[in-house]
Amino acid sequence: QVQLVESGGGLVQAGGSLRLSCAASGDTICISAINWYRQAPGKERELVAAISRGGTSVYADSVKGRFTISRGNTKNTRYLQMNSLKPEDTAVYYCNAICLPRRYWGRGTQVTVSS
């Protein structure tokens, strides 16, 4: 079992910044990737940012140039730096760990961007 805990969400004005953190614990040795997703009200959950073992990162088109995914000092920590936030970034943000054949989800952290 892998446990994921997200933190760092909150209420911010448009144009502001937040830094989300994701900490994995438990049977982390099997984890091959930890990525960020989000789900806005009435919408499907979508991939926001992913980073490969080699350090290559990919982003949703809607956040390119504004969000940055990074690793912490340990391989079980991920950050999501979010700059120039927009009201449409309002969502619950989740980290997701791939530990084949399973995927694990955290409970999410709410990000609300006011206009």
Side-chain angles (χ1 to χ4, degrees), residues 4-110:
L4 299 167
V5 178
E6 303 95 338
S7 61
L11 174 64
V12 64
Q13 288 188 332
S17 298
L18 285 173
R19 188 193 195 204
L20 305 184
S21 300
C22 172
S25 61
D27 296 333
T28 60
I29 194 170
C30 70
I31 294 176
S32 58
I34 301 177
N35 303 314
W36 285 99
Y37 286 74
R38 69 184 180 186
Q39 187 166 19
K43 294 188 177 181
E44 293 185 354
R45 194 170 296 188
E46 63 172 350
L47 178 66
V48 175
I51 186 167
S52 70
R53 284 182 172 176
T56 301
S57 54
V58 294
Y59 299 92
D61 287 343
S62 59
V63 307
K64 281 181 182 177
R66 300 188 296 121
F67 289 12
T68 303
I69 186 172
S70 63
R71 294 191 184 97
N73 289 332
T74 71
K75 73 179 185 75
N76 298 325
T77 304
R78 294 291 183 276
Y79 300 106
L80 185 67
Q81 179 66 43
M82 306 186 296
N83 299 328
S84 302
L85 283 161
K86 304 176 181 180
E88 51 263 43
D89 295 318
T90 295
V92 178
Y93 285 71
Y94 299 91
C95 59
N96 169 257
I98 299 173
C99 188
L100 294 176
R102 298 189 64 178
R103 298 169 67 100
Y104 295 90
W105 295 92
R107 292 188 174 184
T109 185
Q110 176 71 47

